[in-house]
């Protein structure tokens, strides 16, 4: 029997037995891993889509946002020399007070698509979506899909993230690169593969070219955890860390070497420096000066002056608390609980290592932010958002999986109750801001905590309903702040998320140097 082949070259049998390659790829993208439940990949894609929609909403209301960096992006789009150095003008007379990595995506966007608000800010939105994706991948790789989704949602709805992933300061790229760094370290901790640790070093080097020494805040805990927990010999661990350090020097130092060796007479003046030196800027105004407050050329003051009082409560107080601290108490409590529960695990246990890496990154950054006497703005706290989100996602689902044990259910209930109370406090700092919401959050959180406390006696459906109520209650406050943030335009060098609050701290600041 002869089969007639249609013009397209595919017989009916082929069409019935083989999907089109493109259709197959789309189906695989939607389906995800075969071992996953069918809801996992669609939920992840929905998270990314919702994040993109939230961050793109009303984006043009901010205009050129921080015009200081927008001018540099425009200059870079017109002159490759200005692009390379991060100059504020096409003629290349002076640079911005940071290295240029954060300017490069914006400058390329303007060069390709022309100058406009969206051309400046959409790259920041894409960085935000990418940060959520990388965080989700890092968390769910060792834990559950639900843990990854919860972590991603917490990050996306953190008010300061909704602010800075729509704004053109360097902090958006820095947060992305720090999250990539942790992801690479976690991959290296799985099988002691040198390649992943070197990639972590490359990410740190690029982060240095984004915001100088802030990129190094998480290096001590990451290096210590790898040196202790990686599944290989101590000698090899130390050698791998040395290679990662070399990767940092190469990926972050090449630009510094070019700038320092370039004749000063034919390159832009290094903005923010006193001696036309990037190294002086790095270790002075953008380095130790941020710690001790002695920043030559800065306006404002440290200690108890214009930059806000330092101390252990700095991240919880006034306006700063509403930027990022909604689930900070929960993250700290879950970190302690997880380390207690994994205390007898093997040295190379990857779950405990994950908590040590994310928790160490949170604590090292939070301590510096709490006690630095120099320039400190509320939006700096976006650096903490991925660490908090990861700990909440990992710790919350870890306790949920072991909820049949009374201690675990009690810890889970305590976390929900504490977070609901803290949201109630934060929402109360704006007396006229959705007064019904703070009451609803508190009641919903306490009801959820009460059910979770006795979750062993409750049925599965009741327990799931209580958990869903708890998640909704804890995310309601930051979600409301984030919606308020994206509904307004933000411009200038000092911006904050959410409504105005009583007792705001952080103080006035100078321009970008």
């Amino acid at each position: 029997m002869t089969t007639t082949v249609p013009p397209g070259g595919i017989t009916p049998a082929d069409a019935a037995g083989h999907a089109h390659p493109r259709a197959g790829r789309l189906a695989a993208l939607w389906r995800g891993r075969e071992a996953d439940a069918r809801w996992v990949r669609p939920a992840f894609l929905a998270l990314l889509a919702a994040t993109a929609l939230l961050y793109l909403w009303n984006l043009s209301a901010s205009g050129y946002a921080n015009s200081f960096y927008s001018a540099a992006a425009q200059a870079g789009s017109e002159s490759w020399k200005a692009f390379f150095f991060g100059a504020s003008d096409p003629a290349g007379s002076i640079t911005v007070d940071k290295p240029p990595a954060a300017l490069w995506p914006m400058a390329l966007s303007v060069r390709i698509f022309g100058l406009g608000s969206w051309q400046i800010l959409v790259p920041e939105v894409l960085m935000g979506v990418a940060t959520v994706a990388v965080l989700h991948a890092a968390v769910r790789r060792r834990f559950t899909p639900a843990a990854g989704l919860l972590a991603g949602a917490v990050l996306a709805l953190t008010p300061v993230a909704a602010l800075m992933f729509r704004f053109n300061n360097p902090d958006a790229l820095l947060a992305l690169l720090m999250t990539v760094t942790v992801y690479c370290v976690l991959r290296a901790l799985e099988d002691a593969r040198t390649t992943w640790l070197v990639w972590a070093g490359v990410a740190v080097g690029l982060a240095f070219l984004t915001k100088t020494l802030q990129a190094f805040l998480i290096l001590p805990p990451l290096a210590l955890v790898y040196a202790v927990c990686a599944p290989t010999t101590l000698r090899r661990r130390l050698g791998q860390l040395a290679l990662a350090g070399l990767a940092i020097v190469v990926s972050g130092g090449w630009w510094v070497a070019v700038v320092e060796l370039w004749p000063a007479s034919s390159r832009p003046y290094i903005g923010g420096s006193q001696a036309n030196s990037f190294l002086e800027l790095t270790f002075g105004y953008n380095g130790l000066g941020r710690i001790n407050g002695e920043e030559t050329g800065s306006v404002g003051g440290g200690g108890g002056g214009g930059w806000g009082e330092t101390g252990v409560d700095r991240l919880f107080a006034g306006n700063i608390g509403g930027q990022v601290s909604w689930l900070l108490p929960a993250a700290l409590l879950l970190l302690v609980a997880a380390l207690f529960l994994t205390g007898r695990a093997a040295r190379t246990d990857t779950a405990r290592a994950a908590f040590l890496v994310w928790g160490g990154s949170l604590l090292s950054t939070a301590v510096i932010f709490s006690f630095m006497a120099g320039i400190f703005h509320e939006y700096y706290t976006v650096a903490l958002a991925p660490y908090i989100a990861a700990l909440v996602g990992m710790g919350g689902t870890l306790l949920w999986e072991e909820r049949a044990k009374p201690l675990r259910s009690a810890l889970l209930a305590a976390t929900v109750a504490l977070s609901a109370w803290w949201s109630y406090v934060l929402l109360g700092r704006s007396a006229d801001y959705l007064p019904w919401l703070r009451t609803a959050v508190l009641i919903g959180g306490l009801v959820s905590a009460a059910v979770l406390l006795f979750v062993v006696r409750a049925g599965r459906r009741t327990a799931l309903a209580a958990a869903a109520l708890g998640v909704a209650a804890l995310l309601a406050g930051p979600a409301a702040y984030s919606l308020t943030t994206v509904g307004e335009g933000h411009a200038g060098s000092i911006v904050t998320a959410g409504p105005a609050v009583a007792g705001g701290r952080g103080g006035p600041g100078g321009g970008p140097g």
Side-chain angles (χ1 to χ4, degrees):
M1 179 178 178
T2 303
T3 302
T4 303
V5 179
I10 300 177
T11 66
D14 291 333
H18 302 280
H20 191 280
R22 181 176 299 175
R25 288 193 293 269
L26 291 176
L29 175 65
W30 180 257
R31 176 62 181 89
R33 305 176 187 176
E34 289 296 329
D36 287 343
R38 299 192 69 87
W39 60 267
V40 171
R41 179 56 64 87
F44 168 62
L45 296 177
L47 171 65
L48 296 187
T51 303
L53 180 62
L54 175 66
Y55 291 173
L56 288 171
W57 186 264
N58 198 35
L59 186 64
S60 60
S62 295
Y64 291 114
N66 190 335
S67 57
F68 181 73
Y69 294 120
S70 293
Q74 181 184 14
S77 72
E78 299 175 4
S79 165
W80 286 116
K81 184 176 180 180
F83 177 92
F84 178 81
F85 287 105
S88 297
D89 59 308
S93 60
I94 188 171
T95 72
V96 298
D97 63 342
K98 300 290 187 296
L103 299 174
W104 290 340
M106 292 186 289
L108 290 175
S109 176
V110 173
R111 181 177 284 268
I112 296 171
F113 301 107
L115 180 64
S117 179
W118 276 63
Q119 292 89 319
I120 292 288
L121 299 180
V122 165
E124 312 302 309
V125 172
L126 296 178
M127 292 173 196
V129 176
T131 305
V132 171
V134 174
L135 175 66
H136 172 274
V139 171
R140 78 142 295 175
R141 184 172 178 85
R142 176 56 182 82
F143 296 87
T144 64
L149 291 171
L150 179 57
V154 170
L155 172 59
L157 293 176
T158 300
V160 72
L163 172 70
M164 295 314 296
F165 287 128
R166 295 160 44 86
F167 203 78
N168 60 332
N169 278 13
D171 302 77
L173 181 58
L174 179 71
L176 171 59
L177 290 170
M178 292 292 91
T179 307
V180 169
T181 299
V182 175
Y183 173 82
C184 292
V185 170
L186 292 174
R187 291 294 302 268
L189 282 165
E190 293 176 1
D191 53 9
R193 193 175 304 179
T194 304
T195 302
W196 282 112
L197 204 62
V198 170
W199 279 119
V202 171
V204 172
L206 294 176
F208 174 81
L209 292 182
T210 300
K211 210 175 179 188
T212 60
L213 297 183
Q214 187 175 335
F216 296 165
L217 296 185
I218 66 173
L219 287 185
L222 296 188
L224 180 60
V225 172
Y226 192 84
V228 173
C229 300
T232 187
T233 64
L234 177 60
R235 180 177 180 179
R236 185 162 184 261
R237 280 175 261 159
L238 296 178
Q240 290 174 318
L241 288 171
L243 287 176
L246 179 61
I248 294 174
V249 173
V250 172
S251 61
W254 67 272
W255 183 87
V256 179
V258 171
V259 171
E260 290 297 309
L261 294 174
W262 197 293
S265 60
S266 62
R267 63 161 169 79
Y269 186 90
I270 303 301
S273 72
Q274 303 301 305
N276 195 15
S277 167
F278 181 78
L279 292 178
E280 183 246 313
L281 173 68
T282 298
F283 294 102
Y285 178 78
N286 281 335
L288 295 178
R290 300 288 172 126
I291 304 299
N292 58 29
E294 298 176 3
E295 297 159 301
T296 304
S298 170
V299 295
W307 304 117
E309 295 182 5
T310 60
V312 294
D313 67 330
R314 188 184 213 179
L315 299 178
F316 299 93
N319 198 39
I320 300 176
Q323 306 300 298
V324 76
S325 77
W326 300 85
L327 292 172
L328 179 54
L332 295 174
L333 178 58
L334 290 170
L335 173 61
V336 173
L339 294 180
F340 171 76
L341 296 177
T342 58
R344 297 184 179 180
R347 173 184 65 84
T348 58
D349 181 68
T350 53
R352 182 175 59 191
F355 280 102
L356 289 172
V357 165
W358 290 111
S361 299
L362 172 62
L363 291 174
S364 62
T365 307
V367 167
I368 295 297
F369 283 178
S370 296
F371 293 96
M372 58 187 287
I375 296 175
F376 181 81
H377 298 310
E378 290 93 330
Y379 65 78
Y380 290 178
T381 57
V382 70
L384 302 171
Y387 315 142
I388 294 172
L391 291 172
V392 170
M394 297 187 306
T397 54
L398 178 64
L399 293 181
W400 170 258
E401 290 173 351
E402 300 189 13
R403 63 190 181 278
K405 300 177 181 179
L407 177 59
R408 276 64 163 177
S409 62
L411 287 172
L412 188 60
T415 301
V416 174
L418 174 63
S419 301
W421 167 79
W422 183 238
S423 291
Y424 179 83
V425 171
L426 291 176
L427 288 168
R429 291 179 179 173
S430 298
D432 299 328
Y433 182 74
L434 304 177
W436 59 269
L437 181 61
R438 64 193 300 252
T439 303
V441 165
L442 182 62
I443 293 175
L446 293 180
V447 169
S448 172
V451 176
L452 292 173
L453 184 60
F454 303 102
V455 72
V456 177
R457 302 178 185 177
R460 177 174 174 79
R461 290 186 177 180
T462 302
L464 286 173
L469 176 61
V471 171
L474 301 191
L475 292 182
Y481 262 50
S482 294
L483 290 174
T484 297
T485 301
V486 302
E488 302 173 345
H490 297 83
S493 60
I494 305 175
V495 290
T496 56
V501 304
R505 294 167 64 174

